[in-house]
Amino acid sequence: MVTGSAGFIGSHVVEVLEAAGHEVVGLDLRTGADVRDDAALDRLLPGVDLVAHQAAKVGLGVDVSDLPDYASVNVYGTAVLLAAMARHRIGRLVLASSMVIYGEGDYECARHGRVRPGPRTVPDLEQGRFEPVCPRCGEPAACAAIGEDAPPDPRNAYATSKLTQEHLAANWARETGGSAMALRYHNVYGPRMPRDTPYAGVAAIFRSELEAGRAPKVFEDGRQMRDFVHVRDVARANLAAILALSRPGELRAYNVASGTPHTVGEMAAALAAERGGPNPQVTGGYRLGDVRHIVASPERAGLELGFRAEVGFEDGMKEFARS
């Protein structure tokens, strides 16, 4: 079963699984089935041997009024699904998690080595001091690739709900002897990405601006580092997780990333160049829930799942700009 099967990522997961010869049962709000609905789950789960749980409310959110929806869809929905999987004795789960659970990424301080800065302050952001500093000495620190064992530090409602999903999946695995893999997607982009909504990803927002003939507005100074991973690679990562050896009774997390980070400004410039402008506008603005840099280490997924991203940044952005 693929939950969220008609969504941006879920629809690509379904295609990859079916192309590999798997029989897929889909569950999606768009087709009238809600992951929070026990009756729908009891109707669809018999015969299923693994669930790839993609259904979620996504995006940073607008304000605290979004809290109930994130808790209902992402947290309660996952709890209902896991309880139904236990009822039907389904023992394998692949969970769509997110890099947002890390909060700020890893940094290297010349004096103190690997450090994790806390949230940036409003006065610093207003003064254009965007780069985090070492939390111990206050000196500049350089961003570094973050691994799956880094302590979580969620900074917004979406991040908190995704981390809670992981905790629930780990509870389920321990209590049932099932196996769970949490795929921590980094900045996913590609065909069918939602657009023209405050919950859309930054790549979709930039593309919509360009389609309307407006310059993409880039927050801060545009030098925020991210790992942009193509949705077809994310779907391939799900297939790799499904085929990998499971670890009964535990949850194992994996970064799903390209391994080649770029700045948000570079991404905006690549989209603008493909569409013939206008050029991005760096605004100096900020969103309090954003982090400065989050760069992934894809080593564990490569070693344990045999997954490595295949779609390069340049080719992927060219396709996305026109999709």
Side-chain angles (χ1 to χ4, degrees):
M1 172 183 281
V2 176
T3 71
S5 57
F8 167 43
I9 296 175
S11 63
H12 287 275
V13 172
V14 169
E15 289 179 355
V16 165
L17 296 183
E18 289 181 338
H22 297 276
E23 182 179 353
V24 179
V25 175
L27 182 151
D28 196 286
L29 273 175
R30 299 166 184 82
T31 57
D34 192 325
V35 73
R36 296 166 291 186
D37 183 347
D38 271 324
L41 292 169
D42 287 339
R43 184 176 70 253
L44 296 171
L45 281 174
V48 167
D49 58 3
L50 179 144
V51 174
H53 183 28
Q54 312 292 321
K57 180 179 176 68
V58 300
L60 183 62
V62 177
D63 54 40
V64 293
S65 65
D66 285 320
L67 288 172
D69 273 351
Y70 281 114
S72 178
V73 177
N74 297 356
V75 179
Y76 178 68
T78 299
V80 172
L81 173 65
L82 293 171
M85 289 175 64
R87 277 198 309 278
H88 291 274
R89 292 182 166 79
I90 299 167
R92 297 190 64 199
L93 172 72
V94 175
L95 171 67
S97 187
S98 173
M99 57 86 178
V100 295
I101 72 163
Y102 295 123
E104 196 66 60
D106 263 3
Y107 287 77
E108 286 285 345
C109 171
R111 291 177 58 190
H112 297 108
R114 193 62 63 99
V115 294
R116 295 287 301 281
R120 296 177 294 172
T121 67
V122 170
D124 278 347
L125 293 168
E126 288 182 343
Q127 294 297 317
R129 295 190 291 267
F130 302 124
E131 291 291 341
V133 296
C134 173
R136 297 178 63 185
C137 66
E139 293 298 314
C143 70
I146 196 164
E148 291 86 350
D149 294 329
D153 184 18
R155 302 283 176 87
N156 55 63
Y158 173 60
T160 299
S161 72
K162 297 306 286 186
L163 180 58
T164 306
Q165 285 184 320
E166 289 197 16
H167 288 319
L168 290 170
N171 297 155
W172 166 84
R174 283 193 299 270
E175 293 184 24
T176 66
S179 68
M181 294 185 182
L183 304 183
R184 293 174 179 167
Y185 303 158
H186 284 251
N187 287 69
V188 187
Y189 73 98
R192 303 175 211 154
M193 191 174 189
R195 61 175 69 204
D196 302 327
T197 162
Y199 305 97
V202 66
I205 293 170
F206 287 170
R207 183 182 61 182
S208 292
E209 290 293 287
L210 288 163
E211 288 174 347
R214 297 187 295 264
K217 293 179 173 58
V218 181
F219 284 167
E220 302 185 17
D221 57 6
R223 297 176 185 172
Q224 311 93 299
M225 295 292 292
R226 298 290 188 271
D227 190 305
F228 298 100
V229 57
H230 197 278
V231 68
R232 286 197 297 273
D233 281 328
V234 172
R236 289 180 46 252
N238 276 268
L239 176 61
I242 287 169
L243 298 177
L245 293 175
S246 60
R247 296 172 179 246
E250 68 175 87
L251 177 140
R252 186 76 167 160
Y254 298 91
N255 285 327
V256 175
S258 72
T260 308
H262 291 81
T263 69
V264 173
E266 287 173 337
M267 185 264 287
L271 294 176
E274 183 60 26
R275 296 196 64 90
N279 292 328
Q281 175 187 351
V282 177
T283 67
Y286 65 89
R287 296 188 303 180
L288 199 56
D290 281 342
V291 298
R292 178 61 173 173
H293 304 300
I294 179 72
V295 175
S297 169
E299 290 183 12
R300 180 183 289 179
L303 290 172
E304 297 185 10
L305 304 183
F307 167 75
R308 289 175 177 80
E310 295 179 351
V311 181
F313 179 80
E314 184 176 343
D315 289 342
M317 287 297 165
K318 284 183 177 179
E319 177 199 25
F320 178 65
R322 299 292 180 179
S323 65

